[in-house]
Amino acid sequence: MCHGTLAPLAVVAVLLAAGAAQGRNIDLVTLPPRDTVQLTIYNSEDLTLVKETRSITFKKGSNRLQFSWAGTLIDPTSVYFRPLEHEDAIEVLDTTFPADRPQVLIWEIDSKFEGQAKVEVSYFTSGISWSADYVMITNPEETQMACDGYVTVVNNSGEDYEGAQVRLVVGVVNLVEKIAQLAQGGPPAAPGAPPPPELRARAMKMAVAAAEAPAETAPAAAPRIVKEGLSEYFIFTVEGEQTVKNGWAQRMVSFKAREVPFEILYRLREHQYGPRPVRFFILANDQEHKMGESPLPDGIIRVFRDNGKDGLAYYTTQATKYIPIKEKIELNVGTDDELVYERVVLDLARSDFIFDHTPPVVVGWNEMRKWQEELRNYWAKAIKVEIRHVLPGHVEFAMEDSPKLFDYHTVEYVVEVPARQKQKWVSDGLFHLGQNQKQNRVELKKD
């Protein structure tokens, strides 16, 4: 519960004596704090579903319960009360919002049961968000890495939530369709008008109800996120109880993976990365790479290398989108001074000229180009380089190895360079220029 400058979410039971005039208070009881609280935090919408359980003492007959949300971002249209015990004996008759008491509602409840019962109060609040980040550290040999995932929850809702079970929704909840379903049969909305707040809240509750499943629990020294599979999105439950204070940000461990194997691949794509080869660490969110227990939320990945001297070498920070199970993860860790690429033109000849004689000018010709490429590997291990060259126009291409076409004007091939050695290869291109160009694509020819 909030104290001090924060307005408490007070639920007050006002018991009316039998036969007393309606509305006359004879007893005022401030209820004990929440027994439990659960936060389900969405990122696609600025909404968090809060479910509180409290133990309330009812008397037989009429009971009045007061709920206040002063100083918070609670959506009053979403506040909902339901008994978890003695459901058949406890009924909400109506809900009123006193005109002289803003940010307060009163439930009129009829109870055929006398005694204590557990109830749930749920509502949506704004101002709570979460983000994911990942730290990946390779071993000195760059053959395996340690992957740690984290989730940071930021609370600016105006309310403290202590001892909370935190659940995080990954994916987009399609409220538009659900709101349309709820609105059928109601009065037509004005064109372009936003949906009523109560429909938005009810639509989100429909999505939550469809996603509800018992939270997985397991003893652990530190909280970790457990996946609950859904058809369109996923809910992760942070194990243990968390203190989510207003105005604070809290970082939680989501998962730890150790000895994760990965592949190193160099890519030479001048049209994308410039004239130097770029190094990539490639792994996948699957069991083979000791991951794959759940999809990974979009977030920031930071990559380091253990230098073997109790220090870390920083490689890169990279944003990543939502990573499903079995999806590849490609980390661009930049250029590498231990790999040198050079390209030299060996020969150039022109032929098959076409002239326009009024005035004389060359309007078409062929150009035969021969060039040599070289890769020098200074690493004490073999490397693999994937090369793509964009060759616009009408080109007949040939080289010593067997290239393939990535697309209609891009040639692709892979070169493997042994440790501390170099590789050279020669390519030929016949470029049909001007009126000699009959098409716009690359043709592969035998060398």
Side-chain angles (χ1 to χ4, degrees), residues 268 277 339-346 370-377 383-389 397-403 411-418 421-428 447:
L268 178 62
L339 176 65
V340 177
Y341 169 79
E342 288 184 351
R343 177 174 172 173
V344 179
V345 176
L346 299 179
K370 182 186 292 288
W371 61 90
Q372 175 185 280
E373 296 172 86
E374 180 181 35
L375 283 167
R376 297 194 294 272
N377 176 19
I383 63 170
K384 184 165 63 174
V385 185
E386 177 193 86
I387 299 174
R388 287 182 189 170
H389 291 310
F397 180 84
M399 64 176 293
E400 297 168 356
D401 293 326
S402 299
V411 176
E412 177 181 280
Y413 47 93
V414 175
V415 177
E416 295 190 13
V417 189
Q421 295 188 32
K422 60 184 177 182
Q423 287 278 41
K424 293 183 180 181
W425 65 97
V426 176
S427 302
D428 295 289
D447 190 10

Side-chain angles (χ1 to χ4, degrees), residues 135-304:
V135 176
M136 299 185 175
I137 303 175
T138 78
N139 59 7
E141 298 76 25
E142 295 185 346
T143 57
Q144 296 178 338
M145 65 170 62
C147 300
D148 291 344
Y150 300 90
V151 169
T152 301
V153 175
V154 179
N155 180 10
N156 290 308
S157 68
E159 171 69 0
D160 289 346
Y161 294 98
E162 298 183 1
Q165 181 193 58
V166 177
R167 307 199 307 169
L168 313 171
V169 179
V170 178
V172 177
V173 179
N174 186 0
L175 292 185
V176 176
E177 181 179 346
K178 291 180 170 57
I179 289 172
Q181 294 172 1
L182 288 170
Q184 288 179 357
E198 59 271 16
L199 277 189
R200 181 169 173 265
R202 287 177 59 196
M204 185 61 81
K205 283 190 175 179
M206 285 174 58
V208 173
E212 290 287 44
E216 300 178 27
T217 58
R224 64 184 181 88
I225 291 179
V226 179
K227 180 263 295 182
E228 298 172 309
L230 306 174
S231 59
E232 295 181 359
Y233 50 95
F234 288 83
I235 291 181
F236 296 86
T237 301
V238 179
E239 290 184 354
E241 295 184 349
Q242 307 296 324
T243 297
V244 184
K245 286 186 172 291
N246 180 60
W248 286 30
Q250 182 174 349
R251 195 169 186 237
M252 312 169 189
V253 176
S254 62
F255 75 90
K256 289 181 179 290
R258 294 294 179 265
E259 299 180 345
V260 176
F262 65 97
E263 175 190 3
I264 298 178
L265 176 66
Y266 289 81
R267 287 175 174 158
L268 178 62
R269 301 178 188 174
E270 186 170 357
H271 58 291
Q272 284 184 269
Y273 309 124
R276 298 179 60 188
V278 173
R279 191 159 58 136
F280 283 81
F281 293 166
I282 299 177
L283 61 153
N285 184 25
D286 59 20
Q287 292 184 355
E288 181 182 346
H289 293 83
K290 302 187 179 181
M291 299 173 68
E293 293 185 0
S294 66
L296 301 180
D298 51 333
I300 300 295
I301 299 177
R302 295 176 177 86
V303 185
F304 302 84

Side-chain angles (χ1 to χ4, degrees), residues 56-212:
I56 298 178
T57 301
F58 292 92
K59 71 175 184 68
K60 285 187 177 180
S62 179
N63 297 261
R64 301 182 76 202
L65 300 180
Q66 176 180 289
F67 184 84
S68 170
W69 57 91
T72 72
L73 298 179
I74 289 176
D75 176 3
T77 65
S78 69
V79 180
Y80 181 71
F81 173 96
R82 72 182 182 99
L84 300 177
E85 300 173 341
H86 305 285
E87 297 95 326
D88 296 338
I90 300 172
E91 181 184 4
V92 178
L93 300 177
D94 62 51
T95 306
T96 60
F97 295 83
D100 59 339
R101 302 172 67 189
Q103 295 184 305
V104 169
L105 66 79
I106 296 175
W107 287 298
E108 296 285 348
I109 297 176
D110 179 66
S111 177
K112 299 178 176 61
F113 160 80
E114 184 167 352
Q116 190 177 82
K118 186 166 290 189
V119 304
E120 178 185 88
V121 177
S122 64
Y123 51 86
F124 282 106
T125 188
S126 300
I128 303 179
S129 61
W130 66 272
S131 61
D133 69 282
Y134 309 91
V135 176
M136 299 185 175
I137 303 175
T138 78
N139 59 7
E141 298 76 25
E142 295 185 346
T143 57
Q144 296 178 338
M145 65 170 62
C147 300
D148 291 344
Y150 300 90
V151 169
T152 301
V153 175
V154 179
N155 180 10
N156 290 308
S157 68
E159 171 69 0
D160 289 346
Y161 294 98
E162 298 183 1
Q165 181 193 58
V166 177
R167 307 199 307 169
L168 313 171
V169 179
V170 178
V172 177
V173 179
N174 186 0
L175 292 185
V176 176
E177 181 179 346
K178 291 180 170 57
I179 289 172
Q181 294 172 1
L182 288 170
Q184 288 179 357
E198 59 271 16
L199 277 189
R200 181 169 173 265
R202 287 177 59 196
M204 185 61 81
K205 283 190 175 179
M206 285 174 58
V208 173
E212 290 287 44

